[in-house]
Amino acid sequence: MKWTSATVAGAVALAFVDSSTSAFAPRPSTQATVTSKSASASSSFVGNTMPSPSSSKVPHNASTSLRAGPSGMTMSFTVGIVGATGAVGKEIRQCLEKREFPVGQLRIFGSERSAGKSFATEKYGDVTAELFSVAAAKECDVVFLAVSGDFSLKHARAISDGDDGVVCIDNSSAFRYEKDVPLVVPEINGKETKKSKLIANPNCTTAIGLMAIWPLHKLFTLKKILMSTYQAASGAGQPGMDELTEGTMSYLKGEPINNEIFAYPLPFNVIPQIDKFLENGYTKEEMKVTWECRKICGLADDFPISCTAVRIPTIRAHSETIVVETEKPIDLAAARKALEEAPGVKLVDNPEKLEYPMPTTATGSYDVEVGRLRRNLVFGDHGLEFFVCGDQLLRGAALNAVLVAEEMVNNGSLQAKTAA
């Protein structure tokens, strides 16, 4: 068959539309229930429901390295989701199901446009969306916010404050830098969830990178962190994925590419800007990594962390190159062992067999893939360089949020009002 621009365009279009059988689709994964060791793309409100080839449901590859979810529970919880049909909200629903979180009742809150619509779920039956109100949200035991920062700023504290306040886990950036609001990656600082009913979920890039950085910090004590990120279109939510897929098909057909979400057309391009530029020349996305790594890991306010964030034309899963300088000399064997044993991490590091982290293998996975481990040529015996890839809609958002709730169940800071 002779490949022309038209046949290539048709093949790519078909691949996007039928991701279940396409060569572009994630590899099939075993749907395992987690039973062994021990969690912003956001919608404007209830989420973007525009049909899209990139909105196909991605199977979750449950990890056996994560600790098990709450077990032996005699109580169940009323769980609310605001933004349940957006990119992150959909994944929260799926994570609750796959992790077997003890949901007695699932409530979906939306705007007047969405209230009354029915949403099918695998385990909770058909759920009818309700019009959001703070009073209705407070009837739940825990509420996940997968909405804009403006919405969270307006309502999150009202949901969580007071004697009748309930646990509120916010996926936006609204409260990440507030001193009285814990910013949590459960495997690192889960104990912080005891301090507040309002919990902030970290930036997706930060959460993915820290899964690999933290076990190495415990082992070698880090002095500096240098990071370059290669971030998928889904970091901008469903609209970002739509713009990439539609723009790719337009490009291959020789048609103009429209860009409203990204600063420039993303297909067959990379854009070294995510979020707005700040006075120091970094973007806000890059500084989020610096600020959030310090807060989550309890590092000094002047601990040196530098990041360059780049948007790339992949649908899902962020990749990161990370270089660290350490206090203690690097032992590669010990580093590999620490990563192999770290919960939520999968070591994929076999150059001889061309095995290393990639978005296609990380998509849908609860684990963050880490590979390309090597002694850094700049820092020598005190430097380590590696490559990380993780599904930012999961570990960088939905999965982390659900694991925060699990942590709070386990440490007693999330209680059911009544047996559901």
PDB file of all heavy atoms in Angstrom, residues 127-143:
ATOM      1  N   VAL A 127     -26.178   7.159  38.668  1.00  0.00           N
ATOM      2  CA  VAL A 127     -26.177   8.241  39.658  1.00  0.00           C
ATOM      3  C   VAL A 127     -26.683   9.505  38.985  1.00  0.00           C
ATOM      4  O   VAL A 127     -26.167   9.910  37.942  1.00  0.00           O
ATOM      5  CB  VAL A 127     -24.766   8.477  40.225  1.00  0.00           C
ATOM      6  CG1 VAL A 127     -24.785   9.602  41.243  1.00  0.00           C
ATOM      7  CG2 VAL A 127     -24.214   7.195  40.856  1.00  0.00           C
ATOM      8  N   THR A 128     -27.683  10.133  39.572  1.00  0.00           N
ATOM      9  CA  THR A 128     -28.246  11.362  39.027  1.00  0.00           C
ATOM     10  C   THR A 128     -27.533  12.564  39.622  1.00  0.00           C
ATOM     11  O   THR A 128     -27.410  12.684  40.847  1.00  0.00           O
ATOM     12  CB  THR A 128     -29.751  11.457  39.336  1.00  0.00           C
ATOM     13  OG1 THR A 128     -30.424  10.334  38.766  1.00  0.00           O
ATOM     14  CG2 THR A 128     -30.340  12.740  38.755  1.00  0.00           C
ATOM     15  N   ALA A 129     -27.041  13.436  38.759  1.00  0.00           N
ATOM     16  CA  ALA A 129     -26.334  14.629  39.220  1.00  0.00           C
ATOM     17  C   ALA A 129     -27.285  15.564  39.950  1.00  0.00           C
ATOM     18  O   ALA A 129     -28.422  15.767  39.534  1.00  0.00           O
ATOM     19  CB  ALA A 129     -25.687  15.344  38.038  1.00  0.00           C
ATOM     20  N   GLU A 130     -26.775  16.142  41.044  1.00  0.00           N
ATOM     21  CA  GLU A 130     -27.554  17.077  41.842  1.00  0.00           C
ATOM     22  C   GLU A 130     -27.003  18.485  41.656  1.00  0.00           C
ATOM     23  O   GLU A 130     -25.817  18.677  41.377  1.00  0.00           O
ATOM     24  CB  GLU A 130     -27.459  16.710  43.328  1.00  0.00           C
ATOM     25  CG  GLU A 130     -27.807  15.267  43.659  1.00  0.00           C
ATOM     26  CD  GLU A 130     -27.488  14.944  45.111  1.00  0.00           C
ATOM     27  OE1 GLU A 130     -27.837  15.761  45.988  1.00  0.00           O
ATOM     28  OE2 GLU A 130     -26.857  13.904  45.361  1.00  0.00           O
ATOM     29  N   LEU A 131     -27.837  19.464  41.830  1.00  0.00           N
ATOM     30  CA  LEU A 131     -27.391  20.845  41.804  1.00  0.00           C
ATOM     31  C   LEU A 131     -26.502  21.094  43.014  1.00  0.00           C
ATOM     32  O   LEU A 131     -26.878  20.819  44.153  1.00  0.00           O
ATOM     33  CB  LEU A 131     -28.592  21.794  41.823  1.00  0.00           C
ATOM     34  CG  LEU A 131     -28.267  23.292  41.756  1.00  0.00           C
ATOM     35  CD1 LEU A 131     -27.594  23.637  40.437  1.00  0.00           C
ATOM     36  CD2 LEU A 131     -29.542  24.110  41.957  1.00  0.00           C
ATOM     37  N   PHE A 132     -25.311  21.631  42.784  1.00  0.00           N
ATOM     38  CA  PHE A 132     -24.371  21.841  43.889  1.00  0.00           C
ATOM     39  C   PHE A 132     -24.877  22.903  44.853  1.00  0.00           C
ATOM     40  O   PHE A 132     -25.400  23.942  44.462  1.00  0.00           O
ATOM     41  CB  PHE A 132     -22.997  22.278  43.367  1.00  0.00           C
ATOM     42  CG  PHE A 132     -22.068  22.683  44.480  1.00  0.00           C
ATOM     43  CD1 PHE A 132     -21.360  21.728  45.186  1.00  0.00           C
ATOM     44  CD2 PHE A 132     -21.944  24.020  44.848  1.00  0.00           C
ATOM     45  CE1 PHE A 132     -20.525  22.097  46.232  1.00  0.00           C
ATOM     46  CE2 PHE A 132     -21.113  24.402  45.888  1.00  0.00           C
ATOM     47  CZ  PHE A 132     -20.395  23.433  46.583  1.00  0.00           C
ATOM     48  N   SER A 133     -24.684  22.603  46.122  1.00  0.00           N
ATOM     49  CA  SER A 133     -24.819  23.602  47.179  1.00  0.00           C
ATOM     50  C   SER A 133     -23.905  23.176  48.309  1.00  0.00           C
ATOM     51  O   SER A 133     -23.611  21.976  48.467  1.00  0.00           O
ATOM     52  CB  SER A 133     -26.265  23.712  47.686  1.00  0.00           C
ATOM     53  OG  SER A 133     -26.633  22.554  48.408  1.00  0.00           O
ATOM     54  N   VAL A 134     -23.439  24.118  49.084  1.00  0.00           N
ATOM     55  CA  VAL A 134     -22.578  23.789  50.228  1.00  0.00           C
ATOM     56  C   VAL A 134     -23.333  22.904  51.206  1.00  0.00           C
ATOM     57  O   VAL A 134     -22.778  21.932  51.747  1.00  0.00           O
ATOM     58  CB  VAL A 134     -22.076  25.075  50.914  1.00  0.00           C
ATOM     59  CG1 VAL A 134     -21.380  24.740  52.234  1.00  0.00           C
ATOM     60  CG2 VAL A 134     -21.130  25.830  49.995  1.00  0.00           C
ATOM     61  N   ALA A 135     -24.594  23.188  51.437  1.00  0.00           N
ATOM     62  CA  ALA A 135     -25.390  22.390  52.374  1.00  0.00           C
ATOM     63  C   ALA A 135     -25.476  20.937  51.916  1.00  0.00           C
ATOM     64  O   ALA A 135     -25.327  20.012  52.729  1.00  0.00           O
ATOM     65  CB  ALA A 135     -26.791  22.993  52.512  1.00  0.00           C
ATOM     66  N   ALA A 136     -25.691  20.723  50.616  1.00  0.00           N
ATOM     67  CA  ALA A 136     -25.767  19.349  50.107  1.00  0.00           C
ATOM     68  C   ALA A 136     -24.414  18.660  50.212  1.00  0.00           C
ATOM     69  O   ALA A 136     -24.331  17.478  50.567  1.00  0.00           O
ATOM     70  CB  ALA A 136     -26.256  19.368  48.662  1.00  0.00           C
ATOM     71  N   ALA A 137     -23.343  19.381  49.927  1.00  0.00           N
ATOM     72  CA  ALA A 137     -22.005  18.793  50.023  1.00  0.00           C
ATOM     73  C   ALA A 137     -21.689  18.376  51.453  1.00  0.00           C
ATOM     74  O   ALA A 137     -21.026  17.354  51.688  1.00  0.00           O
ATOM     75  CB  ALA A 137     -20.962  19.781  49.510  1.00  0.00           C
ATOM     76  N   LYS A 138     -22.176  19.153  52.420  1.00  0.00           N
ATOM     77  CA  LYS A 138     -21.901  18.845  53.822  1.00  0.00           C
ATOM     78  C   LYS A 138     -22.670  17.620  54.319  1.00  0.00           C
ATOM     79  O   LYS A 138     -22.426  17.155  55.429  1.00  0.00           O
ATOM     80  CB  LYS A 138     -22.210  20.066  54.702  1.00  0.00           C
ATOM     81  CG  LYS A 138     -21.129  21.131  54.659  1.00  0.00           C
ATOM     82  CD  LYS A 138     -21.337  22.176  55.748  1.00  0.00           C
ATOM     83  CE  LYS A 138     -20.105  23.057  55.894  1.00  0.00           C
ATOM     84  NZ  LYS A 138     -20.222  23.990  57.034  1.00  0.00           N
ATOM     85  N   GLU A 139     -23.591  17.135  53.517  1.00  0.00           N
ATOM     86  CA  GLU A 139     -24.271  15.885  53.872  1.00  0.00           C
ATOM     87  C   GLU A 139     -23.386  14.671  53.589  1.00  0.00           C
ATOM     88  O   GLU A 139     -23.688  13.574  54.056  1.00  0.00           O
ATOM     89  CB  GLU A 139     -25.574  15.770  53.096  1.00  0.00           C
ATOM     90  CG  GLU A 139     -26.601  16.831  53.448  1.00  0.00           C
ATOM     91  CD  GLU A 139     -27.805  16.827  52.516  1.00  0.00           C
ATOM     92  OE1 GLU A 139     -27.811  16.018  51.559  1.00  0.00           O
ATOM     93  OE2 GLU A 139     -28.729  17.630  52.739  1.00  0.00           O
ATOM     94  N   CYS A 140     -22.312  14.872  52.841  1.00  0.00           N
ATOM     95  CA  CYS A 140     -21.374  13.790  52.532  1.00  0.00           C
ATOM     96  C   CYS A 140     -20.367  13.632  53.669  1.00  0.00           C
ATOM     97  O   CYS A 140     -20.279  14.454  54.586  1.00  0.00           O
ATOM     98  CB  CYS A 140     -20.634  14.087  51.233  1.00  0.00           C
ATOM     99  SG  CYS A 140     -21.708  14.254  49.792  1.00  0.00           S
ATOM    100  N   ASP A 141     -19.580  12.568  53.589  1.00  0.00           N
ATOM    101  CA  ASP A 141     -18.460  12.377  54.523  1.00  0.00           C
ATOM    102  C   ASP A 141     -17.161  12.911  53.940  1.00  0.00           C
ATOM    103  O   ASP A 141     -16.294  13.384  54.666  1.00  0.00           O
ATOM    104  CB  ASP A 141     -18.307  10.886  54.860  1.00  0.00           C
ATOM    105  CG  ASP A 141     -19.544  10.313  55.504  1.00  0.00           C
ATOM    106  OD1 ASP A 141     -20.008  10.884  56.509  1.00  0.00           O
ATOM    107  OD2 ASP A 141     -20.069   9.296  54.995  1.00  0.00           O
ATOM    108  N   VAL A 142     -17.027  12.818  52.642  1.00  0.00           N
ATOM    109  CA  VAL A 142     -15.848  13.331  51.957  1.00  0.00           C
ATOM    110  C   VAL A 142     -16.276  13.838  50.590  1.00  0.00           C
ATOM    111  O   VAL A 142     -17.108  13.223  49.918  1.00  0.00           O
ATOM    112  CB  VAL A 142     -14.749  12.251  51.822  1.00  0.00           C
ATOM    113  CG1 VAL A 142     -15.258  11.010  51.121  1.00  0.00           C
ATOM    114  CG2 VAL A 142     -13.511  12.802  51.102  1.00  0.00           C
ATOM    115  N   VAL A 143     -15.714  14.980  50.189  1.00  0.00           N
ATOM    116  CA  VAL A 143     -16.033  15.587  48.902  1.00  0.00           C
ATOM    117  C   VAL A 143     -14.740  15.798  48.125  1.00  0.00           C
ATOM    118  O   VAL A 143     -13.780  16.380  48.641  1.00  0.00           O
ATOM    119  CB  VAL A 143     -16.757  16.937  49.074  1.00  0.00           C
ATOM    120  CG1 VAL A 143     -16.987  17.598  47.718  1.00  0.00           C
ATOM    121  CG2 VAL A 143     -18.083  16.745  49.806  1.00  0.00           C
TER     122      VAL A 143
END
